[in-house]
Amino acid sequence: MKWFRRIWVGERLIPLCLTGALSFLIQASPAHAYIGPGAGLGAVAVTIAVVLGGLFLIVGLVWFPLKRMLRGKKVAAEAGKETDAAQ
């Protein structure tokens, strides 16, 4: 079971992925096809939208709940100080 953990932790996984990607790119042959300016810009726009969508997804799922949790602790600490001062 240690070998499984070692592979997925990254000792061999990243070099293996890089080797696979490099061999895939080396074997690629030209398509001899034409992409017009509209289709090219559309492909670039879709790529940018997917990347930004992924980033916004990460921000929405991680940052905002974390911010809400930290704000809740701050409000609770301030509420605790107000009750101590009133006594």
Side-chain angles (χ1 to χ4, degrees):
M1 194 57 147
K2 288 183 180 181
W3 63 270
F4 181 75
R5 194 174 321 135
R6 211 172 37 224
I7 289 173
W8 287 105
V9 168
E11 277 186 32
R12 292 187 221 156
L13 184 63
I14 292 174
L16 182 65
C17 288
L18 290 176
T19 304
L22 185 62
S23 66
F24 180 73
L25 290 174
I26 288 173
Q27 294 175 2
S29 61
H32 301 293
Y34 174 73
I35 292 183
L41 287 175
V44 170
V46 167
T47 303
I48 291 172
V50 167
V51 169
L52 287 177
L55 290 175
F56 289 144
L57 177 71
I58 291 170
V59 167
L61 290 176
V62 174
W63 174 246
F64 288 123
L66 184 65
K67 188 171 128 179
R68 185 181 305 155
M69 183 179 68
L70 292 174
R71 189 182 314 149
K73 286 184 180 181
K74 182 189 276 187
V75 169
E78 289 175 1
K81 289 179 183 177
E82 291 175 4
T83 56
D84 290 339
Q87 292 177 357

